[in-house]
Amino acid sequence: MAKSPSRPAAKPAPAKKAATKSAPPALPNRERPDQPEPFDASKDELLQFYRDMLLIRRFEEKAGQLYGLGLIGGFCHLYIGQEAVAIGLQSALDGDKDSVITGYRDHGHMLAYGIDPKLIMAELTGRQAGISKGKGGSMHMFSVEHKFYGGHGIVGAQVSLGTGLGFAHKYRKDGGVCMAYFGDGAANQGQVYESFNMAELWKLPIIFVIENNQYAMGTSVNRSSAEDQLYRRGESFRIPGLQVDGMDVLAVRGAAEEALKWVRAGKGPILLELKTYRYRGHSMSDPAKYRSRDEVQAVRDKSDPIEHVKKLLEKQGVKEEAMKDIDKEIRKIVSDAADFAENSPEPEAAELYTDVLVETY
Amino acid sequence: MAIELKMPALSPTMEEGTLAKWLVKEGDEVKSGDILAEIETDKATMEFEAVDEGTIAKILVAEGTDAVKVGTVIAMIAGEDEDASTVEAPKAAPAAPAPAAAAPVDVPGEGKDVGRAESEAEITKHDAPPAKPRPSDPAIPDGTKMVTTTVREALRDAMAEEMRGDDRVFVMGEEVAEYQGAYKVTQGLLEEFGPARVIDTPITEYGFAGLGTGAAMGGLRPIVEFMTFNFAMQAIDHIINSAAKTNYMSGGQMRCPIVFRGPNGAASRVGAQHSQNYGPWYASVPGLIVIAPYDAADAKGLLKAAIRSEDPVVFLENELMYGKSFDIPDLDDHVLPIGKARIVREGADVTLVSYSIGVGVALEAAEMLAGEGIDAEVIDLRTLRPLDTVTVLESLKKTNRVVVVEEGWPTCSIASEISAVCMEQGFDWLDAPVLRVTNEDVPLPYAANLEKLALVDAARVVAAARKVSYR
């Protein structure tokens, strides 16, 4: 029944054509970053990761508790579950010249950049000693000294602002790189793409970091994103993207090294998608009914970033006791921060009028 | 020591809730992250997680209990080295004393007299920091040469001079470099300063306003040009939420010295979407400086001040003024104080307050009024935020009559604000109500005759001045 193909069957198919059928996808026509290798951490480095991630975990648990006691008000977005992202990435940065900017879920990034937990907690409780004198709150904290530029409450704004920080690094030729974090929700904001365009056009030194914790408040990535592989979102701007296991601090750190290599070589921006998960609701007042308790528990049991490092440390011969000591030490730092935050005075009434403008006119 | 578990607040407004269900029982070991209970608020059911490790020693509030006040101890956890069986419930805390402050009694029909006497200071009090000495325009030395310059050239010269003096200053916007500016305001800058400091952007207002704001946070001094302020609507989030508020939200540690500039207000026959005065919009935002000059000397002196300011500035120009020529003092460094109005024409009978292109309308009206024997004083506000109310009130004391002239809509306008200030702080000097002479309260039409009808003009100002003069 079937007609024989018109081309002579006797001739062997050209080798080239046969090859195309089973060959791997064509190589991209432009340079791409290498696939990152997991970071080869020494025991001391692993211990530092453990300590740093644990500080974020315990700090956030305490913040949740203080919220429950009414000592923290308003919106409060916790970072529990995502610790490996901030620690893995920021441990690779040069704190003397590289800048960091993020959205409203910012406590973890501040702790990762070495900012005093007391000043952060006191800001959460709205006290004079807080890092913004109590006038910013959970979502609006900054430390110019640490090159941490916020702490921004408008979803996606930090991407354009971070592109400006990258612009400033390049303009001043200071060798710095900006790391701009945003979430899977912000990845659908228009200004993100306006920024991608300019960042690549002008080869700005910036690492765009999508912390994909799978839910934009209650909307899952699949329900909001036509292209749900978010690391591809830079492709039409020629920004290469890498997808990274955001629950594995070594994978994250490895990706950070690769990204920094790319950006510091003057090749322009790069996009990292960190697949991660938040254990708590979007904010303290989110009951998180859009996902099952089993889903959360499964991630906690199988992929917890801190438990992961703990196991690696055990393999390296670090004793349970030593890790308990670290935990105690961290709990002390956090409870001191909480005491400080609770006992510091509220801002003076006169603070109401300060810092509106820098100069007087 | 045993740990008290208290009924948590799970939203910014929660005061009490229902303890719906315990997921642990006495004797259970818990570690941080374990879910202890479900709590119902008026909005949702929330899970309550453990923060501490230990053994549940006592459950003090049974599941199903309604209206449990936030802060009530609902369970006790025994610590690691503690015998759970010996943990006691906490003794009831003494009830908090009832708030003692007695609210002032409001007797119906006995409204407080807000008119006069000792309470007046209290009523009009502004809790702002004490006033500092008022700045004034620097004296122009005798014999200074005056040079005729267009507003367009004055703005360009201001930018060029500041760019020569400070490497951190750069200009970015659509068509600012190779095209030499959509309205030729940046003419010649690319040639002098090169493409690293005079930067053509894609058509992406939200993006480059944010980028500029970020660059200012990062220590540069951006001048962001909007082709017109109508397009800055796409960027208003960064102007207000990012630029204006950051210094305050950061407790004064993160500054944002940026200038957003471009033409504002009605041009000529460009229709509703391209003809709008944003002065009142930006002037309502604490944290911003808003400047709207009229002539070339003010345009230059104030733009230089704006670029030097540590604060974010919205600098509103006017397309119809770009080609107009004025005398500018030929000085090396002509800088004017921000926040200071200027008396453009002195007069005794009525005060005409205006800004930007409206000043020309007011001056024209003043000429017409002079022919009728009404001696009008004309004040150019120059800065819309902070507003120089002192100059306006001093003039009011002299003339006892105020007409505000504004090329913009009447509702919630600068004119509305000036009227409120005159009423609150100058009530005793007013011999007539303050009148607002503005554009009509409609989107600007295209048809030539309708456009003319919609825009403020001198004849309307004259009519208003006559009315407040009872003539």
Side-chain angles (χ1 to χ4, degrees):
Chain A
M1 290 264 291
K3 281 189 174 173
S4 47
S6 60
R7 85 185 134 85
K11 266 192 186 173
K16 252 199 226 163
K17 283 212 168 159
T20 15
K21 276 194 176 161
S22 58
L27 282 173
N29 61 2
R30 53 182 193 268
E31 192 190 353
R32 299 198 75 89
D34 295 332
Q35 200 53 39
E37 296 288 327
F39 183 64
D40 184 16
S42 69
K43 190 163 102 180
D44 284 349
E45 284 168 327
L46 264 185
L47 274 168
Q48 193 62 45
F49 289 149
Y50 179 71
R51 182 186 297 272
D52 291 347
M53 289 196 289
L54 203 58
L55 175 64
I56 296 177
R57 174 76 52 99
R58 297 288 173 251
F59 182 95
E60 294 291 65
E61 286 170 349
K62 183 58 88 177
Q65 194 180 32
L66 296 186
Y67 193 95
L69 297 173
L71 285 161
I72 297 173
F75 295 125
C76 185
H77 310 86
L78 302 181
Y79 200 64
I80 298 175
Q82 303 181 213
E83 296 90 347
V85 176
I87 296 302
L89 292 178
Q90 280 167 245
S91 63
L93 296 182
D94 179 341
D96 289 332
K97 54 183 187 183
D98 297 332
S99 53
V100 171
I101 189 165
T102 186
Y104 44 76
R105 196 181 305 283
D106 56 355
H107 315 162
H109 307 103
M110 302 187 77
L111 292 166
Y113 235 23
I115 297 168
D116 188 347
K118 283 186 178 152
L119 304 185
I120 305 172
M121 199 68 96
E123 187 60 35
L124 299 184
T125 54
R127 307 305 166 105
Q128 175 78 43
I131 196 155
S132 297
K133 298 187 200 164
K135 296 198 280 193
S138 166
M139 300 186 286
H140 312 117
M141 294 192 272
F142 313 83
S143 173
V144 175
E145 184 196 343
H146 286 88
K147 299 205 178 319
F148 176 80
Y149 290 90
H152 295 270
I154 304 298
V155 176
Q158 74 275 21
V159 182
S160 299
L161 297 170
T163 306
L165 292 169
F167 179 93
H169 285 306
K170 180 162 181 166
Y171 187 96
R172 279 199 305 254
K173 303 185 177 78
D174 62 11
V177 168
C178 175
M179 183 166 271
Y181 291 91
F182 55 108
D184 45 285
N188 290 324
Q189 283 279 23
Q191 63 176 315
V192 169
Y193 300 93
E194 299 189 26
S195 302
F196 281 4
N197 186 37
M198 287 183 285
E200 178 65 29
L201 190 63
W202 300 332
K203 298 281 181 208
L204 302 182
I206 179 163
I207 302 174
F208 295 109
V209 178
I210 302 180
E211 291 195 72
N212 180 358
N213 66 17
Q214 335 261 351
Y215 294 92
M217 202 166 138
T219 305
S220 70
V221 172
N222 297 328
R223 291 205 298 123
S224 61
S225 301
E227 170 56 277
D228 63 358
Q229 298 304 301
L230 301 178
Y231 73 100
R232 293 187 190 142
R233 289 288 186 95
E235 286 298 333
S236 62
F237 303 92
R238 300 179 164 243
I239 299 176
L242 296 171
Q243 196 170 48
V244 186
D245 178 0
M247 304 304 272
D248 175 355
V249 72
L250 300 180
V252 176
R253 173 65 184 262
E257 305 263 342
E258 189 57 41
L260 280 167
K261 198 170 80 183
W262 179 269
V263 175
R264 289 212 207 277
K267 293 175 186 170
I270 190 170
L271 174 61
L272 300 179
E273 180 196 0
L274 284 299
K275 301 272 279 184
T276 182
Y277 201 79
R278 65 170 151 74
Y279 295 176
R280 297 291 192 95
H282 163 74
S283 70
M284 284 304 296
S285 42
D286 168 22
K289 292 297 174 203
Y290 41 82
R291 57 187 189 187
S292 69
R293 190 178 287 164
D294 291 346
E295 177 184 315
V296 183
Q297 199 54 46
V299 178
R300 275 179 184 271
D301 292 345
K302 290 184 197 136
S303 316
D304 187 80
I306 297 176
E307 287 302 314
H308 172 65
V309 171
K310 206 170 169 183
K311 280 187 197 118
L312 295 176
L313 284 169
E314 278 163 10
K315 273 190 206 149
Q316 297 238 16
V318 178
K319 296 270 182 303
E320 175 79 24
E321 274 310 300
M323 286 190 268
K324 275 215 159 153
D325 286 348
I326 293 174
D327 196 24
K328 267 189 193 149
E329 196 187 312
I330 298 290
R331 279 184 191 277
K332 170 91 167 69
I333 292 170
V334 169
S335 83
D336 286 352
D339 288 345
F340 177 79
E342 202 172 335
N343 297 320
S344 294
E346 290 186 315
E348 296 280 335
E351 278 294 350
L352 186 58
Y353 303 105
T354 62
D355 307 319
V356 179
L357 294 172
V358 178
E359 298 185 33
T360 45
Y361 300 91
Chain B
M1 202 187 123
I3 300 155
E4 296 178 356
L5 278 184
K6 291 179 179 169
M7 181 71 170
L10 297 169
S11 79
T13 50
M14 176 176 164
E15 287 171 4
E16 58 178 40
T18 301
L19 209 168
K21 192 175 173 192
W22 279 108
L23 298 169
V24 291
K25 55 185 188 307
E26 290 182 4
D28 283 0
E29 298 249 337
V30 293
K31 60 180 192 324
S32 55
D34 289 352
I35 298 156
L36 301 176
E38 284 181 356
I39 289 166
E40 277 174 22
T41 69
D42 52 347
K43 296 189 201 81
T45 304
M46 307 276 290
E47 289 166 352
F48 179 37
E49 284 185 14
V51 175
D52 304 288
E53 291 185 22
T55 308
I56 301 288
K58 278 214 159 36
I59 286 177
L60 301 166
V61 175
E63 63 181 33
T65 309
D66 285 338
V68 182
K69 294 260 183 269
V70 165
T72 310
V73 179
I74 54 176
M76 302 293 290
I77 292 185
E80 223 178 327
D81 314 313
E82 202 173 0
D83 182 355
S85 61
T86 63
V87 170
E88 304 266 336
K91 301 218 166 54
V105 184
D106 187 18
V107 182
E110 287 197 19
K112 292 168 202 81
D113 180 16
V114 296
R116 296 287 173 272
E118 79 290 342
S119 61
E120 188 171 19
E122 202 56 37
I123 288 158
T124 57
K125 191 178 83 170
H126 287 250
D127 288 330
K132 60 161 203 146
R134 287 175 46 70
S136 54
D137 288 18
I140 293 168
D142 285 343
T144 301
K145 203 173 88 189
M146 299 302 277
V147 187
T148 303
T149 311
T150 61
V151 171
R152 173 182 286 119
E153 292 160 339
L155 292 166
R156 190 264 321 274
D157 292 349
M159 287 188 277
E161 286 176 23
E162 293 307 300
M163 288 176 80
R164 278 174 212 133
D166 186 344
D167 287 345
R168 298 171 299 171
V169 181
F170 68 95
V171 187
M172 76 182 337
E174 293 155 12
E175 310 290 8
V176 298
E178 298 197 3
Y179 195 89
Q180 308 291 324
Y183 295 101
K184 298 288 177 276
V185 175
T186 51
Q187 188 135 38
L189 295 183
L190 174 64
E191 198 185 5
E192 182 175 353
F193 300 103
R197 296 180 70 194
V198 184
I199 301 154
D200 279 327
T201 64
I203 302 172
T204 183
E205 280 84 6
Y206 196 8
F208 70 72
L211 192 155
T213 304
M217 291 167 175
L220 301 183
R221 299 264 172 169
I223 303 169
V224 170
E225 175 177 309
F226 292 113
M227 195 180 285
T228 83
F229 262 91
N230 302 288
F231 312 145
M233 288 274 266
Q234 306 231 14
I236 200 164
D237 170 47
H238 278 301
I239 299 173
I240 293 173
N241 268 321
S242 303
K245 295 177 183 171
T246 298
N247 192 60
Y248 193 80
M249 292 194 305
S250 69
Q253 55 163 317
M254 200 159 111
R255 297 176 178 188
C256 189
I258 186 170
V259 177
F260 299 102
R261 51 155 289 273
N264 172 63
S268 182
R269 308 286 311 279
V270 291
Q273 290 182 332
H274 285 64
S275 310
Q276 190 168 330
N277 175 3
Y278 290 91
W281 293 50
Y282 293 113
S284 73
V285 181
L288 283 181
I289 298 291
V290 183
I291 298 172
Y294 168 64
D295 70 15
D298 285 353
K300 183 176 183 185
L302 287 167
L303 183 53
K304 281 167 71 79
I307 296 167
R308 287 182 199 184
S309 170
E310 291 289 340
D311 293 301
V313 179
V314 171
F315 195 92
L316 303 169
E317 299 157 10
N318 190 292
E319 189 199 326
L320 299 176
M321 296 302 296
Y322 279 150
K324 296 265 193 311
S325 292
F326 296 89
D327 282 346
I328 289 192
D330 187 15
L331 298 169
D332 285 344
D333 196 19
H334 174 63
V335 186
L336 293 171
I338 291 170
K340 182 77 170 67
R342 180 165 70 102
I343 297 170
V344 185
R345 174 190 171 118
E346 296 214 20
D349 298 335
V350 59
T351 302
L352 307 179
V353 180
S354 192
Y355 64 94
S356 188
I357 196 169
V359 175
V361 177
L363 285 169
E364 190 188 339
E367 278 302 310
M368 292 157 73
L369 288 165
E372 302 178 11
I374 297 176
D375 183 16
E377 176 148 297
V378 177
I379 293 175
D380 178 358
L381 292 169
R382 301 196 294 189
T383 301
L384 304 182
R385 185 181 188 95
L387 203 52
D388 181 1
T389 53
V390 175
T391 298
V392 174
L393 291 167
E394 288 301 317
S395 181
L396 166 60
K397 281 182 200 171
K398 185 167 72 171
T399 64
N400 309 114
R401 292 164 173 87
V402 173
V403 172
V404 194
V405 182
E406 184 167 15
E407 193 280 280
W409 288 317
T411 308
C412 304
S413 58
I414 299 294
S416 308
E417 180 65 19
I418 294 284
S419 326
V421 166
C422 291
M423 191 266 288
E424 284 178 353
Q425 299 178 51
F427 191 78
D428 286 350
W429 294 297
L430 280 169
D431 283 352
V434 176
L435 292 186
R436 295 176 287 177
V437 183
T438 65
N439 294 352
E440 293 300 319
D441 205 6
V442 296
L444 200 70
Y446 166 71
N449 65 324
L450 294 182
E451 186 187 67
K452 194 162 181 296
L453 285 171
L455 292 171
V456 64
D457 61 26
R460 285 175 235 201
V461 180
V462 168
R466 277 194 208 121
K467 194 171 175 191
V468 296
S469 305
Y470 304 109
R471 299 204 4 200

